Amino acid sequence: MKRNKPKYKQIIDAAVIVIAENGYHQAQVSKIAKQAGVADGTIYLYFKNKEDILISLFREKMGYFVEKNEEVIAGKSTAAEKLLVMIENHCRILSEDSHLAIVTQLELRQSNKEIRLKINEVLKGYLHLVDQILYYGIETNEFDPDLDVRLTRQMIFGTLDEMVTTWVMNDQKYDLVAQSSAIHQLLINGCGGKR
Amino acid sequence: MKRNKPKYKQIIDAAVIVIAENGYHQAQVSKIAKQAGVADGTIYLYFKNKEDILISLFREKMGYFVEKNEEVIAGKSTAAEKLLVMIENHCRILSEDSHLAIVTQLELRQSNKEIRLKINEVLKGYLHLVDQILYYGIETNEFDPDLDVRLTRQMIFGTLDEMVTTWVMNDQKYDLVAQSSAIHQLLINGCGGKR
Amino acid sequence: MKRNKPKYKQIIDAAVIVIAENGYHQAQVSKIAKQAGVADGTIYLYFKNKEDILISLFREKMGYFVEKNEEVIAGKSTAAEKLLVMIENHCRILSEDSHLAIVTQLELRQSNKEIRLKINEVLKGYLHLVDQILYYGIETNEFDPDLDVRLTRQMIFGTLDEMVTTWVMNDQKYDLVAQSSAIHQLLINGCGGKR
Amino acid sequence: MKRNKPKYKQIIDAAVIVIAENGYHQAQVSKIAKQAGVADGTIYLYFKNKEDILISLFREKMGYFVEKNEEVIAGKSTAAEKLLVMIENHCRILSEDSHLAIVTQLELRQSNKEIRLKINEVLKGYLHLVDQILYYGIETNEFDPDLDVRLTRQMIFGTLDEMVTTWVMNDQKYDLVAQSSAIHQLLINGCGGKR
DNA sequence: CATGAATGAGCATTCATTCAT
DNA sequence: TATGAATGAATGCTCATTCAT
């Protein structure tokens, strides 16, 4: 695909806006094209079909997510710090792009099973990051050596997701990043970190 | 509404089966009617519209959930024990009704924002139960007195939800109830409970 | 299918009219529905899809064709007479329904290969009738005993088809039935019949 | 038009191949351009539009047909012989170019009424040849002096056409030229030729 | 002459809901 | 109460043609 052409990103950004503002089921291809400033047919020069737009959207944005997280995590030396900056980063990115927050937390979940399976594939990269932090914390004796990494990752991911979704459903009216520290403490306690 | 008439529950149970077996977007009213053994039009004698079926379904099932949980929680004297039986109960009910697990964890989440907001209303009864355990644990000095109840509730609920969803997505092929104890320990640690 | 319900035939007759008057590629389902006096969706209670309308149309009309032909053929005792009444009958039916003539000779031939293969299946019943006349003529010594039935059937069918198509393409402005006798003589000569 | 430029014939030959291999409705301009090794836009330097490609294709190929037929017919002295070589020639040319046979007998017939009318115009040159043979046969007393030339031409043309179409629909799996003699005899009989 | 990216009109089909019986 | 035939709005995608380069 022509992922480097400017119109590729142009269409994805248009999709985020249209989906956030109209809802998943009201995000017609023609609306996305109009928002992107191209003709309907042009969409199909860059994407196989509508489904491909949604999956590409998720892949592009999540790729940025994972990339940013890898950067900030690498800059910290303890597992606790790594987890904290990851949480802060997660909250910050979504706080800064309210459209993206709506799309990932609410709208894209209405897609059919096929799309969601592909989205889950993309998510695995993110889950892997969390695992790495946990393994690191166990190695450095910060965390309980008997920690069940799979369950703990589910706790961390589930907690973050629930926190953000609640925030979006409350119309993003409070400061999400400000909660990072408190939720971090809760999770670190869960991991058996020092209090 | 005619919630006591036999056909009311008959249609709701049919909806659970049809949604679980066909997926949310393939669960047409006519399919639900056929499964329930009534005519399409009869559905509308018991429900305002399709949305009403889904919300009623959630309310009925979740009502049973909260009721059962209140029972088991009342039988325990410490907050930690209360949380444990709640988690066990949660896992057990979903383990025993695989259709319901699929519907609540995967399919019903594909519904639009409007339906999900109403579902969230129903969920508040459940969240309130968690809050009560947390307040109780703070009172009894089991939990950290400075615990942010709202955030902690999000952690508990998000973790449970993620755990069950992962289990459903893995085709329910391992023992969910068996994980109760481990996840309980993680969450209790998070709450500052004794180790 | 509900082939006996009045709307079934109503829709097929509407399709003949719409296709004849607008052309194959301008015969939208909505136009057919409007002509039939039903809603678009009603079409799909009686037909699987648009293709099914066209094939059913051909099957219904051709069924009438074969049926009528069997009647008139049975009433004659020589192969030459049988062939004559078949030709007359063929010409008469199409002369009496100018819409049907346009649809079968011009418009339906624009359909894709899949539809045309199914139409050809239906046509086999008609070709079989011609074969029967030829075998009968050979038995009764009217026709050349060495007649190649397959080729001769192709001659008869090809000649009739070309004659009718030419007539339709000339806007049906001359009397088709009046040509029956002359074309019959040509074909009978071909078959080695007495002059 | 630029009918002498090499790309003109190049595009027409590409069209024959693409239509034969993909079918009329799957023969997009872009596919023809690709097959011809030119850009989509280049097509429009040599042809007015897609319709023009098809009609030109037919004209070019049919021109060769008529030309060849005129040659072989001129070499024979009786009408019966002329008809025989014409039939043989017709069968031979299509036997030798299976792509062309598929295109003229099956695919091009799916075109709309407008194109088919123009194709018929081109065909008139061919029909005229048949007429000439018939007039010649009447003059030389080979054929019935009362022969209806127009009808007889329809018989000859319809028969040939049906024969070839049947052969193509049966995947060209038998020898078409070998049938020339038998079909010739049938047609000559029809014309009142000596037996 | 040649290119190929961009255009945008056009349509079969589904399914929640109604209402005459 | 119960039925189920009928309704009709709503949308993703293709492809012939253009035109700036």
Side-chain angles (χ1 to χ4, degrees):
Chain A
M1 276 293 166
K2 306 152 181 183
R3 294 191 191 158
N4 299 318
K5 303 287 182 68
K7 288 197 179 165
Y8 179 80
K9 288 191 184 302
Q10 197 173 320
I11 291 166
I12 283 183
D13 289 338
V16 174
I17 293 171
V18 169
I19 294 172
E21 294 187 345
N22 298 275
Y24 182 80
H25 292 291
Q26 280 307 306
Q28 294 88 348
V29 172
S30 60
K31 250 182 212 159
I32 295 173
K34 197 171 195 178
Q35 172 73 32
V38 300
D40 292 18
T42 305
I43 298 270
Y44 294 88
L45 296 176
Y46 296 89
F47 299 91
K48 207 151 43 72
N49 48 36
K50 187 177 179 181
E51 181 176 307
D52 190 29
I53 306 176
L54 304 176
I55 296 165
S56 301
L57 180 166
F58 200 77
R59 193 172 352 164
E60 291 287 322
K61 299 302 181 184
M62 196 46 61
Y64 175 73
F65 236 88
V66 173
E67 200 180 303
K68 275 286 168 196
N69 269 332
E70 282 174 339
E71 278 174 36
V72 295
I73 288 170
K76 298 297 173 181
S77 53
T78 70
E81 283 173 319
K82 283 173 190 288
L83 187 61
L84 177 60
V85 292
M86 197 199 80
I87 293 171
E88 285 173 346
N89 196 47
H90 187 113
C91 294
R92 189 181 318 108
I93 292 180
L94 291 173
S95 288
E96 284 170 355
D97 189 343
S98 77
H99 281 154
L100 184 63
I102 292 170
V103 170
T104 59
Q105 302 303 123
L106 299 186
E107 300 302 341
L108 230 43
R109 312 207 171 184
Q110 298 172 43
S111 57
N112 61 45
K113 220 177 285 180
E114 198 177 356
I115 294 182
R116 288 173 70 210
L117 279 174
K118 291 185 181 168
I119 283 180
N120 276 340
E121 278 308 305
V122 178
L123 264 185
K124 282 187 180 165
Y126 199 68
L127 299 179
H128 193 58
L129 268 185
V130 178
D131 281 1
Q132 284 180 312
I133 295 177
L134 292 175
Y135 284 124
Y136 183 76
I138 293 171
E139 271 176 39
T140 59
N141 282 319
E142 281 180 83
F143 295 160
D144 182 343
D146 297 327
L147 206 63
D148 182 326
V149 171
R150 208 165 126 282
L151 269 186
T152 309
R153 176 230 294 154
Q154 287 174 26
M155 174 178 73
I156 293 172
F157 192 75
T159 301
L160 256 177
D161 193 58
E162 178 69 18
M163 179 178 64
V164 180
T165 299
T166 302
W167 170 74
V168 174
M169 283 202 138
N170 282 304
D171 298 325
Q172 318 186 353
K173 60 188 171 211
Y174 51 83
D175 186 345
L176 184 64
V177 182
Q179 297 193 328
S180 303
S181 169
I183 209 77
H184 173 251
Q185 189 58 50
L186 282 173
L187 293 172
I188 283 295
N189 288 348
C191 299
K194 313 291 178 292
R195 305 195 185 158
Chain B
M1 276 293 166
K2 305 145 185 185
R3 294 189 193 161
N4 298 319
K5 300 291 179 67
K7 286 194 180 168
Y8 178 80
K9 289 192 184 302
Q10 197 174 320
I11 291 167
I12 284 183
D13 288 337
V16 174
I17 293 171
V18 168
I19 294 173
E21 294 186 345
N22 299 275
Y24 181 81
H25 292 291
Q26 280 307 306
Q28 294 86 352
V29 171
S30 61
K31 250 183 211 157
I32 295 172
K34 196 171 192 179
Q35 172 74 31
V38 301
D40 293 17
T42 306
I43 298 269
Y44 292 87
L45 297 175
Y46 295 88
F47 299 90
K48 202 149 48 72
N49 48 35
K50 188 179 180 179
E51 182 176 307
D52 189 28
I53 305 176
L54 304 177
I55 296 165
S56 301
L57 180 166
F58 200 79
R59 192 174 2 187
E60 292 286 323
K61 299 301 180 183
M62 196 46 61
Y64 174 73
F65 236 87
V66 173
E67 199 180 303
K68 276 285 168 195
N69 268 332
E70 282 174 339
E71 278 175 37
V72 294
I73 288 170
K76 298 296 173 183
S77 53
T78 68
E81 282 173 322
K82 283 174 191 286
L83 187 61
L84 178 60
V85 293
M86 196 199 80
I87 293 171
E88 285 173 346
N89 196 47
H90 187 113
C91 293
R92 189 179 318 109
I93 292 180
L94 290 173
S95 287
E96 285 168 357
D97 189 344
S98 77
H99 279 156
L100 184 63
I102 293 171
V103 170
T104 59
Q105 302 303 125
L106 299 185
E107 302 302 340
L108 231 44
R109 315 220 165 174
Q110 297 172 47
S111 58
N112 61 46
K113 214 184 294 178
E114 198 177 355
I115 293 182
R116 288 176 71 204
L117 279 172
K118 290 186 181 169
I119 282 180
N120 275 343
E121 279 307 306
V122 177
L123 264 185
K124 281 187 179 166
Y126 198 69
L127 300 179
H128 193 56
L129 267 185
V130 178
D131 281 0
Q132 284 179 312
I133 294 176
L134 292 174
Y135 284 126
Y136 182 76
I138 293 171
E139 271 177 38
T140 59
N141 281 318
E142 279 180 84
F143 296 160
D144 184 344
D146 297 328
L147 206 63
D148 182 325
V149 171
R150 208 164 125 283
L151 269 187
T152 309
R153 176 231 293 157
Q154 286 174 25
M155 174 179 73
I156 292 172
F157 192 73
T159 300
L160 254 179
D161 193 57
E162 180 69 17
M163 178 178 64
V164 180
T165 299
T166 302
W167 170 74
V168 174
M169 284 199 137
N170 282 304
D171 298 324
Q172 317 187 354
K173 60 186 169 212
Y174 50 83
D175 186 346
L176 184 65
V177 183
Q179 297 193 328
S180 303
S181 169
I183 209 77
H184 173 251
Q185 188 58 49
L186 282 173
L187 294 172
I188 284 296
N189 288 348
C191 298
K194 312 293 177 292
R195 302 190 187 167
Chain C
M1 276 294 166
K2 305 151 181 185
R3 294 192 191 157
N4 299 318
K5 303 288 182 67
K7 288 196 180 165
Y8 179 80
K9 289 193 184 301
Q10 198 173 320
I11 291 166
I12 283 183
D13 289 337
V16 174
I17 293 171
V18 169
I19 294 173
E21 293 186 346
N22 298 276
Y24 181 81
H25 291 290
Q26 280 306 306
Q28 295 87 348
V29 171
S30 61
K31 250 182 211 159
I32 295 173
K34 196 171 194 177
Q35 173 72 32
V38 300
D40 293 16
T42 305
I43 299 269
Y44 294 87
L45 296 176
Y46 295 90
F47 300 90
K48 205 152 44 70
N49 47 37
K50 187 177 178 179
E51 180 176 307
D52 190 29
I53 306 177
L54 304 175
I55 295 166
S56 301
L57 180 165
F58 199 77
R59 192 172 356 170
E60 291 287 322
K61 299 300 182 185
M62 196 45 61
Y64 175 73
F65 236 87
V66 173
E67 199 181 304
K68 276 286 168 198
N69 268 332
E70 282 174 339
E71 278 175 37
V72 295
I73 288 170
K76 298 297 173 181
S77 54
T78 70
E81 283 173 319
K82 285 175 190 286
L83 187 62
L84 178 58
V85 291
M86 197 198 79
I87 293 171
E88 286 173 344
N89 196 47
H90 187 113
C91 294
R92 190 180 319 109
I93 292 180
L94 291 173
S95 289
E96 284 169 356
D97 189 344
S98 77
H99 280 155
L100 184 62
I102 292 170
V103 170
T104 59
Q105 301 303 122
L106 299 185
E107 301 301 342
L108 231 43
R109 310 205 174 187
Q110 297 172 46
S111 57
N112 61 46
K113 219 177 284 177
E114 199 178 356
I115 294 183
R116 288 173 69 210
L117 279 173
K118 291 186 182 169
I119 283 180
N120 276 341
E121 277 308 304
V122 178
L123 264 184
K124 281 187 180 165
Y126 199 69
L127 299 179
H128 193 58
L129 266 185
V130 178
D131 280 2
Q132 283 180 311
I133 295 177
L134 292 175
Y135 283 124
Y136 183 76
I138 292 171
E139 271 177 40
T140 60
N141 282 321
E142 280 181 82
F143 295 159
D144 183 342
D146 297 327
L147 205 63
D148 181 326
V149 172
R150 209 165 126 283
L151 270 186
T152 311
R153 176 228 296 156
Q154 287 174 25
M155 175 179 73
I156 293 172
F157 192 76
T159 301
L160 256 177
D161 192 58
E162 179 69 18
M163 179 177 64
V164 180
T165 299
T166 302
W167 170 74
V168 174
M169 283 202 138
N170 282 306
D171 297 325
Q172 316 186 356
K173 61 187 170 211
Y174 50 83
D175 186 347
L176 184 65
V177 183
Q179 298 193 328
S180 304
S181 170
I183 209 77
H184 173 252
Q185 190 57 51
L186 281 173
L187 292 172
I188 284 295
N189 287 348
C191 298
K194 314 290 178 292
R195 305 192 186 164
Chain D
M1 276 293 166
K2 304 147 186 183
R3 293 189 194 163
N4 298 320
K5 300 292 176 70
K7 287 194 181 168
Y8 179 81
K9 289 194 184 301
Q10 198 173 321
I11 290 167
I12 283 183
D13 289 336
V16 174
I17 293 171
V18 169
I19 294 172
E21 295 186 345
N22 298 276
Y24 181 81
H25 292 291
Q26 280 307 306
Q28 293 87 352
V29 171
S30 61
K31 251 183 210 157
I32 296 173
K34 196 172 192 178
Q35 173 73 32
V38 300
D40 294 17
T42 305
I43 297 269
Y44 292 86
L45 297 174
Y46 295 88
F47 299 91
K48 203 150 46 71
N49 48 36
K50 187 178 180 180
E51 183 176 308
D52 190 29
I53 306 176
L54 304 176
I55 295 165
S56 301
L57 180 166
F58 201 78
R59 191 171 354 163
E60 291 288 322
K61 300 300 181 185
M62 197 46 62
Y64 174 74
F65 236 88
V66 172
E67 200 180 302
K68 275 286 167 196
N69 268 331
E70 281 175 338
E71 279 175 34
V72 295
I73 288 169
K76 298 297 173 183
S77 55
T78 69
E81 283 173 319
K82 285 175 191 286
L83 187 61
L84 179 59
V85 293
M86 196 199 79
I87 293 171
E88 286 173 343
N89 196 48
H90 187 113
C91 293
R92 190 180 319 107
I93 292 180
L94 291 174
S95 288
E96 285 168 356
D97 188 345
S98 76
H99 278 156
L100 185 63
I102 292 171
V103 170
T104 59
Q105 301 304 123
L106 298 185
E107 302 302 339
L108 232 43
R109 316 222 164 173
Q110 297 171 48
S111 57
N112 62 47
K113 215 185 292 177
E114 198 177 356
I115 294 183
R116 288 174 70 204
L117 280 172
K118 291 187 181 168
I119 282 180
N120 276 343
E121 278 307 306
V122 178
L123 264 183
K124 281 188 179 164
Y126 198 70
L127 300 178
H128 193 57
L129 267 185
V130 178
D131 282 2
Q132 284 180 310
I133 295 177
L134 291 174
Y135 284 127
Y136 182 76
I138 293 170
E139 271 178 36
T140 60
N141 280 321
E142 278 180 84
F143 295 160
D144 183 342
D146 297 328
L147 206 62
D148 180 327
V149 171
R150 207 164 127 286
L151 268 186
T152 309
R153 175 230 294 156
Q154 287 174 24
M155 174 179 73
I156 293 172
F157 192 76
T159 300
L160 255 178
D161 192 58
E162 179 70 16
M163 179 179 62
V164 180
T165 299
T166 302
W167 170 74
V168 174
M169 284 200 137
N170 283 304
D171 298 324
Q172 317 188 355
K173 61 186 169 213
Y174 50 84
D175 186 347
L176 184 65
V177 182
Q179 297 193 329
S180 303
S181 169
I183 209 77
H184 173 252
Q185 189 57 49
L186 282 173
L187 292 172
I188 284 296
N189 288 347
C191 298
K194 312 291 178 289
R195 303 195 187 164

